[in-house]
Amino acid sequence: LSTRAASRALVAAVVTAARRINARYEQYLERSFPRFYLLYSTFTTGIQALFLEVKEIRKIKSKMSQQRLSTQQLPYREMERLRQVRRADSLPSFWRQFRRDLLKAIPIGIIAIPPFANFLVIVLMYFFPRQLLTRYFWTPKQQVEFLDAYDSIRRDSYPDVVQSLALAARSLPEPQPRELLQQLCAQVQGGAQPHLAQLLAVRGLFSGSLLALNRLQVDHVRALGQVLFLTPHLPAFFLRHRLRSHVLEIRHLDRALLRLGLGQLSEEELRAACYLRGLNPTHLGQAECRAWLEQWLGLSCELQASEASLLAHSMVLLSLNY
């Protein structure tokens, strides 16, 4: 027993000494090479965040298994975490990609195993941050830049969505709802922000008519899919199914978020929620993000699952001119 105690004391002493040396090394880097230190600290913090997320996911899965819970019964934060795991089939973005992030990080972790090999990783981080690394290893400045880059890709499809919606509205048989929808599209195309009451006034058009997800034209569906970072080259049937699945998942998240309360979200969580729903928050204030998300929840939590098409279109209608 005394030998074990001595061994533990020796290990503890070695760990303490290593931490002290590492702290001095980091202080030296921060003082003498601040730009290099930023990359170094981003790398070490990213490794820790990656393993903490793996641990958190396992904990949530275990809880669901033991308590026999479905995803919709989870609290908002746990539901959002699992969504990040499942939705690895979409375009890489800051908050969606857990499995791809994990696979992408494995080679980086292997490279960093030999002594001083983390310097090679830091070189890769410097020259190819978006192509080779994951969100865990991006600096705060890179996070903003890359969010903007991915958002510019999906925003290219926003005018196409509104134009396709305006064209589809012409084929609607009922004159009064048709005119309301055409006015709404013209308002958005003219640069104005629609009101919640205007969207709710046309909700009946998106469930059983030509504007339901399963009856939209293929090009229209592909444009909507790009809003949610879905691959546009899938067959129309699979694309419609995936689009509906993603939109209804956001609807479930919205109800969990309403139960939690917007006031409980951190600034990072608030911005992540806006980005998922079509709004790029990187250049908006926190109050602007909160006001937009309140409007979104006011719409989403009023709609039924059969009105998923309106919710998908609202990602564009509410974001384009905000």
Side-chain angles (χ1 to χ4, degrees):
L1 291 175
S2 62
T3 304
R4 291 180 181 178
S7 299
R8 286 196 294 268
L10 179 61
V11 170
V14 171
V15 170
T16 301
R19 288 177 177 173
R20 185 169 58 250
I21 293 172
N22 187 64
R24 291 179 179 176
Y25 170 63
E26 290 181 353
Q27 291 174 0
Y28 168 74
L29 285 180
E30 186 176 13
R31 184 176 59 255
S32 304
F33 307 98
R35 294 180 64 185
F36 179 83
Y37 173 76
L38 178 61
L39 293 173
Y40 173 84
S41 61
T42 301
F43 171 70
T44 53
T45 304
I47 288 291
Q48 295 170 1
L50 178 63
F51 283 100
L52 284 175
E53 190 159 358
V54 172
K55 184 178 179 180
E56 184 179 355
I57 293 298
R58 292 182 61 185
K59 184 178 179 181
I60 295 172
K61 290 286 189 180
S62 175
K63 171 185 172 181
M64 292 178 64
S65 176
Q66 292 175 0
Q67 301 182 17
R68 297 181 179 179
L69 298 175
S70 65
T71 305
Q72 288 74 30
Q73 294 174 302
L74 293 174
Y76 172 75
R77 290 187 174 93
E78 294 180 358
M79 192 186 302
E80 168 64 11
R81 186 66 69 190
L82 289 184
R83 183 198 63 80
Q84 295 174 12
V85 176
R86 290 196 304 273
R87 296 310 184 190
D89 57 346
S90 59
L91 183 72
S93 63
F94 184 70
W95 286 282
R96 311 175 69 177
Q97 274 298 100
F98 180 78
R99 279 184 291 187
R100 281 188 181 176
D101 282 351
L102 187 59
L103 293 175
K104 214 175 179 183
I106 288 175
I108 301 298
I110 294 175
I111 292 174
I113 290 175
F116 304 103
N118 55 354
F119 292 107
L120 176 58
V121 175
I122 292 173
V123 171
L124 294 175
M125 290 173 64
Y126 184 81
F127 288 105
F128 309 104
R130 187 160 67 97
Q131 291 79 6
L132 298 180
L133 302 177
T134 70
R135 58 191 169 103
Y136 300 99
F137 307 106
W138 293 344
T139 65
K141 181 180 178 181
Q142 288 171 339
Q143 291 172 10
V144 174
E145 291 176 355
F146 299 160
L147 277 180
D148 281 341
Y150 292 133
D151 182 68
S152 66
I153 294 174
R154 72 174 174 184
R155 282 189 71 86
D156 287 341
S157 66
Y158 283 15
D160 295 335
V161 171
V162 180
Q163 179 65 24
S164 297
L165 182 60
L167 291 174
R170 298 177 183 177
S171 303
L172 297 174
E174 301 178 8
Q176 185 176 1
R178 180 179 66 235
E179 292 175 3
L180 289 175
L181 184 57
Q182 287 176 329
Q183 291 173 4
L184 176 63
C185 293
Q187 179 180 338
V188 173
Q189 289 173 324
Q193 180 73 10
H195 298 290
L196 179 59
Q198 291 177 282
L199 294 170
L200 291 174
V202 297
R203 60 186 295 183
L205 298 174
F206 290 84
S207 55
S209 70
L210 298 175
L211 299 181
L213 288 179
N214 61 343
R215 300 186 64 182
L216 295 177
Q217 296 294 323
V218 175
D219 291 340
H220 194 162
V221 174
R222 295 192 194 284
L224 277 175
Q226 290 179 343
V227 175
L228 286 104
F229 298 117
L230 298 178
T231 303
H233 306 297
L234 294 172
F237 171 78
F238 290 105
L239 188 56
R240 293 178 199 274
H241 174 74
R242 284 161 106 66
L243 181 59
R244 178 179 172 81
S245 173
H246 278 65
V247 172
L248 291 181
E249 188 172 48
I250 291 175
R251 179 176 170 271
H252 288 307
L253 276 171
D254 291 337
R255 279 154 174 73
L257 179 54
L258 192 65
R259 292 192 298 269
L260 175 67
L262 285 181
Q264 301 300 316
L265 296 184
S266 66
E267 182 176 355
E268 182 180 359
E269 290 173 326
L270 180 66
R271 294 182 182 278
C274 290
Y275 195 90
L276 171 65
R277 292 157 178 81
L279 179 70
N280 183 8
T282 55
H283 305 288
L284 296 174
Q286 190 171 352
E288 294 171 309
C289 294
R290 190 177 303 278
W292 186 90
L293 198 54
E294 286 177 353
Q295 185 182 27
W296 171 271
L297 291 179
L299 173 67
S300 176
C301 295
E302 284 288 328
L303 299 181
Q304 304 299 319
S306 59
E307 299 165 322
S309 179
L310 176 56
L311 198 60
H313 284 88
S314 296
M315 295 180 68
V316 176
L317 298 173
L318 291 175
S319 302
L320 185 58
N321 302 319
Y322 189 73

